[in-house]
Structure formats: C-alpha cells, structure tokens
Amino acid sequence: MSKINHKHVAMSVMMTFTAGSLAAQQNAPLVYPVTKKVDTVDDYHGKKIADPYRWLEDDHSAETKEWVDAQNKVTQNYLATIPFRGKIKQRLEALWNYPRYGSPFREGRYYYFYKNDGLQNQAVLYRQLGLDGTPEVFIDPNKLSDKGTAALGSLSFSKDGKYLAYLIAKAGSDWQEAFVMDVATKQLLSDRLDWIKFSGLSWKGDGFYYSRYDKPDEKSKLSKKNEFHKVYYHKIGTTQEQDELIYVDKEHPLRNAGVGLTEDERFLILSTTEGTSGRELWYRDLQDASQKDFALLVKGFDYDPGVIENVGDKLLMRTNHDAPNFKVVLVDPKNPAKENWKVVIPEQKEVLLGVGTAGGRLFANYLKDASSRIEQYDFSGKLERSITLPGIGTAGGFGGKAEDKTLFYTFTSYIAPPTIYKYDIQSGASEVFRKTEVKFNPADYETKQVFFTSKDGTKVPMFLSYKKGIKQDGKNPVLLYGYGGFNIPSTPSFSVSNLFFMEQGGIYAVVNLRGGNEYGEAWHKGGMLDKKQNVFDDFIGAAEYLISTKYTVPGKLAIRGGSNGGLLVGACMTQRPDLFKVALPAVGVLDMLRYQKFTIGWAWAVEYGSSEKADQFQYLVKYSPLHNLKKGTQYPATLITTADHDDRVVPAHSFKFASALQAAHKGSNPVLIRVETQAGHGAGKPTSKLIEEATDIWAFVMYNLGMKM
C-alpha cells in the first residue's frame, strides 16, 4: 500500500524566540520549527495521497523526540508572554482546592468511598465500619509514584469480602497491572498480573476473571495494533503463567472479549465485540455441571445487548433489538430465540441509557433532552415510582446489592457540583448525604437549554451556562464544546475549570450533536459512517446560532473537543476557518486514513469506516482534518494538546496535524502544539497536571479572545 522513498528535506535549526523585552516578544511573529518532509505516497484505490510527516509516527525515534522538544519550547515561550497566566493558575488552584467525594458503596462490614482533599493528585480510597464509623485510608495511589501519575482503576471484592483485586494504570496508559489485597490486614499478596487492557475483574470463588493481551514488544507497546484479546481465570496464590485460559477467538484477532458474573455467581456472561458498537453474548450456567463450554445467547454484532441480572434460571437483558431507544426483556438461555423474549420494560420515547439493580429493584436511567430521568421498577417490570431529582442535570450511581435497603446516588449539573444523596428503596425518599462546598456561589450562575436547526433541518439541543446578567450584544466570549460520536451522550457535569471561564464572563456552551445517543440509536446512526458530516454541520450550526442570536461573534468564539471531539474540532476548523477565533483539538483522531493501524484504532471502524474500503475512503478523505488543510489559509489560533503515553489515540495524529497546519497556515494567529509528558488519553491524569494544562489552555483562549484578568 505504501511507497516510501526516504528523500529527506534537510532539517533546519530549531528556532525559538530571541531575547528581548516582553512587549517585543508579544509582538514578534512566531517562528516555528521547520519540520522535515519525506517522500511518502500511498495509493488508496487509485488515488495517490502524500504523507510527508509519516516519520513522526515513530514516537521512539530521536528525531521525533527532538521535534517534540522544539515544539514544546516554542509553545511554552509563547504562553510565558501572556501577562495574566500566573493569575489564572492561582485562581484555578483556589477553585480546585475543595474536598471531592465519591458515593459510598458497601462491601462486607465496610463502606468504601473515594475522597480527594483538594489538590491531591489522585483520589484516595477510604473505608469505615458502617455509615457512622471513623474513615481510614484503604488505598492511597499517591504513594505509588513521585508525581502522582499512577492511578487506581477497577476494583472487585470477593463475594466473602476477604480479598480485593484492583488495577493500576501508570502515566495515563491503557495498559494496567492487577494486584490482590487481604482486606482485613490491607496487605498485598504475591499476586501480580501484567498486560491487562480493556478489562474488568470478576470474582468467582478464590480467584477472578480478567482480560489481557500477550506481552507486547517494549518499543511498540504504546502504538502497535492490539490483537487477540484473551480471557483468563486467575487463582490467588498462583503465578500469572498458571492462569487458566477461558476464551480466545483465534479466527478473529480484532475482537475484544470480557466476562462477568451475575450477582449470585450462577451465570458467567461472555461479551465479544468487533468495535465500539454491537456485541455478541454467550453464557455458561455454572450450576449446570454438564455445560462445559459457552453457549450462544445473542448472535452479534448488529445490536447492543447487555445482561442486567438473572431471575432464577432466566436472564434480564437490555437490548435495542427492534427498539432503537432500548427495552428490557427476560430471556430463557436454554431457548434464547428472540421470539421467546418476554418484554419486561417496553421501549419509551426517551433513550434508556442503562439499568442498575439494588434491593431487588430495577433502576432505569433515561435521558430526556440530555438530562437524567430515573424510574424504579420491580423485577416483573411494574413501575413503582419516578424518582424526583433536584432539577435538570445528571444523576448516577443507582446500584447496590440485592439485600440493600438504601443506595447512594450523585446529582450534578454545569453550575452545581456533585451532591450525594441517600435513597430509601422502599419509601422512595431521598436525603442529602454529602454536599460539595466549592469556593463560588452557584446562585450567581444559570444554565439554559436552547434548540437550533441544523443544516438538514434537524432540531439540535445545546446547553448554555454563564454568570447571570449577560447581554446578547455580540460581545461575549464563548467556549463551544462537543463530542458527537460512539453513542456517548454529552450530559450536564460540573467542572471547576469551566467555572473559571464563566467567572471571567465567558459562556460555556455544550452541543448535543448527532453521533451521541441523546435520542437513541437513530441519533447515533445519524452521525456515523457516511453520515459523519452531520456532526460537523451540527457543530457549525451551533456556532452560527450563537452568532445570529447575538450571544457572540466569530472573533469571540473558541471551540474545544477531545478524542473523537478532537476530530470534530479539526474538521470544523478546516471546513470553516472563518467561523472561529480559537480552536482546541485535544488528543484528536486527525488522520482518518491511518487511524486503524494503531493500538485499538481498528475498533473504531464500525463508527467511522475504513480507508481500506473504497466506498468508505471516499467520504473519509473529504473530512479528514490532516488531509483538508489548504496552504495559504488563515486558520484560527490553535493549541493542539496531546500526551506522550496516549495509547488510545496515538500522539502521531497530533504531531502530523500540527506540522501540516504550521506549513499551511497564513496569518498572525498562533498555531501551536502542547505535548504533555507522563500522561495519556486523559484518564487518571494527576491534579497537578490538570491544573497546569487548564492554566495554559485558558491563558491561550483568553489572550486570543481579547479577554483580560
């Protein structure tokens, strides 16, 4: 497919700002590192596509590291000239410095909860005897690394409460290690498991199930395509080499697999996927000694079924088969044909995001115009009540054990930090269990939901949050955020970083783009594959609405998105560079012709399509940000952000896009890249790095939007 002739253009000396006064540096034109080009040409179905920055895909090479250092130096020198950058950091540290709690959950005699005192790099896991007991530190991940870059992942307690298995990720990588602890003594056992990725932990007896890959090559472990996901059973006290292989699909290397148990440990459910959408389900009845192998429960991969729990020898399942907004059905695994399914909770006009269980009840989480609605059912599907929530926002955490009488849930919104509620399952009464205290007054801010019409006539919702008293005079700075993909909704959530922008007079706008599942599978399909342009049209339509209704003007408008949202920003800034003043593509999928060649990228082909298929190449090449930059165009002031340990969306996407953007751009707007070290796609990033990154982003945004502090 590739024809590579290594005719390198000589690399120029990496240049930075010359010495001089602060004013001179601010007014001086930016000088970017001159990035070499290679004569690399790919033939895609008869069309030749140049890829001159292919060499930046090798993140281990000395040349790539020199390039990163040179780019970071230019970026940091530019940011250092912004006079109020220090004030921004001081205010962010003050806002961030408040206690943050997670909802408590019960295991054995103890209640467990997460807490961050304020500026701790990682939240600490505490436990206490009963709800009135004295909390004690159970696991403190801050002690696992000097700079707080080790993060605690999934936890799983054995059914008898004697053991805990947990995962640790380092430097933001998707690779994780598993450890086992004696709960009574808090002492680690000798068990240690490596090369775990995209896995839960599920106990059975004196061991647990997990998923992993074979040991990767050290040099390519952060970029090489992940293949042959395997499920193992680990018995405590043994080595990983002794683990029992439970499942591998040798005929389909690009499938992921994971297993989980029903609460009573009777049914072992195997879920296999070919990508980010659609799954196949298999099961083993562990009470049936004659069943040695997994039996097919639901053939894949056209729908998204998921087992909720068992009811005796039957299985409750959430599915979108013949129900784009999802329904709940009861399935007899011995007779799993769809015509035998019994509908327990029928499909509704709102999308059913998920179903939790606790106290012998089902808790159905619906979305109504991207805001939570929770309903409580018994296991037969009888509606017991709709749970009253504090307002428009996001509620989560409706789960527990079958014998629980109470559960805990959180509620949050764009201007309300998470509040934890204690809920009585029998009576339906909620009471505040723990309220978050942040150094701002929520009453000074408001959120409203507006609807606008996209290019093809589709009605699209958007949340606007801001300090009360703003005027629609076209003078407001706006940060427009979106995601729009992978069936993931953008629902209200609290962020002190976004609060800071609102505090400075900015409007924080979130668009509920197609590609998500705010309105079910039809909304998702309306923004995937050959319909992906709808997502960009929705985002552009949101910007045009904000301008036409005089909330802002193009010179005051910034756009932001991460991962798939980074693709969104990259596509929109290349399609409509005139519409935005600032663009912030973070850890973005920016090379749509080669994304599938790295780590887990192949799994996104069900969402995007693949350049390896002629018909899909035709639409991918039309919007791929890397391939739609036009020389001599003035692009928005751009700050690309990525990280050296991002093995989800490899940093090569951002490296190549930054190089091509700097070469194509004409004008005074800065186009920069910020490469974080010892960090990944975003999960587990320590507080110190979050504050540093937020400081740089808001300094860049405010300076280029003409804001002051």
Side-chain angles (χ1 to χ4, degrees):
M1 175 132 171
S2 293
K3 172 191 167 189
I4 302 177
N5 297 315
H6 293 286
K7 298 176 182 176
H8 298 323
V9 175
M11 200 164 190
S12 298
V13 175
M14 299 303 182
M15 302 181 69
T16 59
F17 292 104
T18 57
S21 68
L22 178 63
Q25 289 188 42
Q26 289 174 326
N27 295 324
L30 274 170
V31 180
Y32 304 108
V34 178
T35 306
K36 77 174 184 182
K37 296 182 180 180
V38 296
D39 185 13
T40 308
V41 178
D42 294 324
D43 187 328
Y44 291 95
H45 316 287
K47 185 169 184 176
K48 300 291 196 298
I49 303 287
D51 193 3
Y53 305 112
R54 177 76 57 84
W55 63 276
L56 285 167
E57 291 180 356
D58 184 358
D59 57 348
H60 279 270
S61 76
E63 283 184 312
T64 300
K65 291 176 180 177
E66 288 174 8
W67 181 90
V68 168
D69 290 343
Q71 291 284 353
N72 270 341
K73 193 170 184 180
V74 172
T75 299
Q76 290 305 318
N77 282 346
Y78 174 85
L79 294 171
T81 68
I82 298 174
F84 44 79
R85 185 187 183 198
K87 289 184 179 179
I88 291 175
K89 186 173 185 180
Q90 288 176 0
R91 182 55 184 153
L92 284 171
E93 286 178 336
L95 284 171
W96 231 289
N97 193 11
Y98 69 96
R100 298 183 291 282
Y101 291 85
S103 292
F105 57 95
R106 186 178 62 82
E107 295 288 347
R109 300 184 303 145
Y110 292 95
Y111 277 92
Y112 295 82
F113 64 92
Y114 288 95
K115 179 189 176 185
N116 188 310
D117 288 340
L119 297 179
Q120 287 178 294
N121 276 319
Q122 301 290 341
V124 177
L125 181 63
Y126 290 82
R127 73 175 179 184
Q128 63 189 54
L129 283 170
L131 290 177
D132 299 320
T134 302
E136 64 174 354
V137 173
F138 189 60
I139 300 177
D140 184 357
N142 296 291
K143 295 181 178 180
L144 300 178
S145 65
D146 292 339
K147 296 183 179 180
T149 54
L152 188 58
S154 297
L155 305 171
S156 182
F157 287 84
S158 59
K159 193 169 181 65
D160 61 9
K162 187 176 180 181
Y163 298 108
L164 166 70
Y166 63 90
L167 297 175
I168 293 290
K170 295 179 179 178
S173 170
D174 281 336
W175 291 112
Q176 295 180 307
E177 299 170 88
F179 299 88
V180 181
M181 177 186 287
D182 183 297
V183 170
T185 64
K186 296 193 287 187
Q187 294 299 308
L188 285 177
L189 305 185
S190 61
D191 306 64
R192 176 178 168 176
L193 312 180
D194 289 316
W195 310 120
I196 299 171
K197 190 184 266 197
F198 312 128
S199 175
L201 303 170
S202 190
W203 279 90
K204 172 64 177 176
D206 56 357
F208 56 88
Y209 299 95
Y210 71 100
S211 303
R212 60 163 290 194
Y213 291 101
D214 290 336
K215 181 180 179 179
D217 173 69
E218 185 64 26
K219 184 177 179 181
S220 62
K221 67 180 182 181
L222 296 180
S223 58
K224 187 178 180 180
K225 184 185 289 188
N226 300 140
E227 297 180 306
F228 295 109
H229 209 213
K230 300 176 181 179
V231 179
Y232 285 90
Y233 177 79
H234 174 77
K235 185 175 181 179
I236 58 174
T238 64
T239 65
Q240 188 168 21
E241 289 72 24
Q242 296 173 280
D243 289 353
E244 179 187 358
L245 178 63
I246 299 298
Y247 177 83
V248 62
D249 188 339
K250 294 181 179 179
E251 296 182 3
H252 301 93
L254 301 184
R255 284 183 182 175
N256 278 357
V259 299
L261 284 159
T262 52
E263 187 175 347
D264 64 1
E265 297 189 343
R266 174 171 178 175
F267 287 97
L268 182 65
I269 306 299
L270 168 68
S271 172
T272 63
T273 60
E274 289 188 328
T276 53
S277 181
R279 69 183 62 244
E280 186 167 85
L281 296 181
W282 300 71
Y283 81 96
R284 280 176 59 188
D285 184 345
L286 300 182
Q287 288 186 9
D288 184 352
S290 65
Q291 188 185 356
K292 302 297 184 183
D293 298 316
F294 285 102
L296 185 65
L297 183 67
V298 181
K299 186 173 177 57
F301 295 87
D302 296 330
Y303 301 98
D304 281 293
V307 171
I308 301 165
E309 193 52 88
N310 68 308
V311 182
D313 60 356
K314 307 294 193 300
L315 294 168
L316 276 174
M317 186 172 71
R318 171 181 169 268
T319 180
N320 58 348
H321 181 81
D322 293 335
N325 288 345
F326 288 90
K327 61 187 176 183
V328 176
V329 296
L330 188 66
V331 180
D332 181 351
K334 292 189 182 330
N335 297 286
K338 295 180 180 67
E339 56 267 24
N340 297 326
W341 293 358
K342 177 185 176 183
V343 175
V344 176
I345 302 177
E347 180 186 23
Q348 300 190 21
K349 64 180 180 178
E350 286 92 20
V351 62
L352 176 60
L353 280 186
V355 181
T357 63
R361 303 295 193 279
L362 301 174
F363 295 89
N365 186 347
Y366 291 93
L367 270 190
K368 180 174 176 57
D369 293 330
S371 184
S372 294
R373 178 171 67 85
I374 310 296
E375 292 187 345
Q376 178 177 321
Y377 295 85
D378 67 15
F379 269 53
S380 71
K382 178 184 176 183
L383 176 64
E384 294 186 338
R385 66 178 62 88
S386 293
I387 296 173
T388 302
L389 299 175
I392 294 176
T394 303
F398 289 88
K401 301 190 183 304
E403 66 270 19
D404 285 346
K405 304 277 192 254
T406 60
L407 58 77
F408 297 86
Y409 68 90
T410 60
F411 182 84
T412 187
S413 72
Y414 292 114
I415 58 173
T419 297
I420 300 172
Y421 290 86
K422 182 181 177 183
Y423 178 77
D424 186 285
I425 296 171
Q426 187 64 38
S427 69
S430 291
E431 62 179 88
V432 174
F433 177 76
R434 184 171 280 134
K435 194 170 184 178
T436 304
E437 300 296 337
V438 185
K439 301 176 182 69
F440 88 111
N441 183 8
D444 294 339
Y445 298 83
E446 63 180 316
T447 294
K448 75 174 182 178
Q449 189 175 41
V450 298
F451 293 83
F452 64 90
T453 302
S454 192
K455 183 178 180 178
D456 65 353
T458 300
K459 185 180 176 184
V460 179
M462 174 167 54
F463 289 103
L464 305 178
S465 302
Y466 46 79
K467 189 184 291 185
K468 290 178 179 176
I470 68 155
K471 298 177 181 178
Q472 288 177 240
D473 56 7
K475 297 179 180 179
N476 301 295
V478 172
L479 190 287
L480 182 63
Y481 172 85
Y483 186 77
F486 294 95
N487 224 8
I488 297 172
S490 294
T491 60
S493 61
F494 181 76
S495 160
V496 290
S497 180
N498 295 330
L499 171 66
F500 166 80
F501 182 65
M502 290 184 261
E503 194 178 59
Q504 307 310 309
I507 297 174
Y508 179 62
V510 178
V511 200
N512 297 109
L513 306 162
R514 277 175 284 185
N517 69 340
E518 286 87 345
Y519 296 104
E521 186 60 18
W523 196 252
H524 174 217
K525 288 183 175 178
M528 62 185 288
L529 296 172
D530 61 331
K531 304 292 194 302
K532 188 67 178 177
Q533 184 59 41
N534 287 338
V535 184
F536 313 139
D537 290 341
D538 290 353
F539 202 58
I540 289 168
E544 291 175 334
Y545 170 87
L546 291 167
I547 293 165
S548 67
T549 52
K550 296 186 177 180
Y551 280 102
T552 194
V553 291
K556 293 283 187 180
L557 182 56
I559 55 174
R560 184 177 188 180
S563 193
N564 174 72
L567 162 62
L568 169 73
V569 172
C572 290
M573 66 178 280
T574 52
Q575 292 182 16
R576 288 294 305 275
D578 60 305
L579 196 56
F580 317 106
K581 178 60 179 175
V582 175
L584 303 168
V587 294
V589 187
L590 300 165
D591 181 350
M592 298 307 298
L593 303 187
R594 286 177 60 78
Y595 75 84
Q596 72 277 9
K597 296 182 178 295
F598 304 99
T599 62
I600 197 64
W602 56 264
W604 314 331
V606 297
E607 182 81 10
Y608 295 140
S610 170
S611 62
E612 293 164 16
K613 296 183 178 180
D615 58 332
Q616 295 178 341
F617 164 76
Q618 297 301 328
Y619 62 75
L620 286 168
V621 75
K622 288 180 181 178
Y623 72 75
S624 176
L626 178 65
H627 301 94
N628 283 279
L629 291 163
K630 296 179 176 60
K631 193 168 183 61
T633 301
Q634 176 166 295
Y635 288 101
T638 304
L639 181 60
I640 302 162
T641 51
T642 187
D644 64 349
H645 277 64
D646 189 346
D647 49 356
R648 187 83 56 84
V649 180
V650 294
H653 284 273
S654 296
F655 294 174
K656 292 165 66 175
F657 184 69
S659 300
L661 178 61
Q662 289 175 350
H665 176 58
K666 179 183 179 181
S668 58
N669 289 333
V671 288
L672 304 169
I673 182 169
R674 182 187 188 277
V675 185
E676 184 64 86
T677 58
Q678 291 296 297
H681 200 58
K685 186 176 288 186
T687 299
S688 58
K689 286 186 180 291
L690 290 173
I691 293 174
E692 289 169 2
E693 183 179 57
T695 297
D696 289 350
I697 287 172
W698 290 126
F700 186 86
V701 169
M702 291 174 63
Y703 188 64
N704 284 284
L705 294 186
M707 301 170 68
K708 296 180 180 179
M709 185 177 180

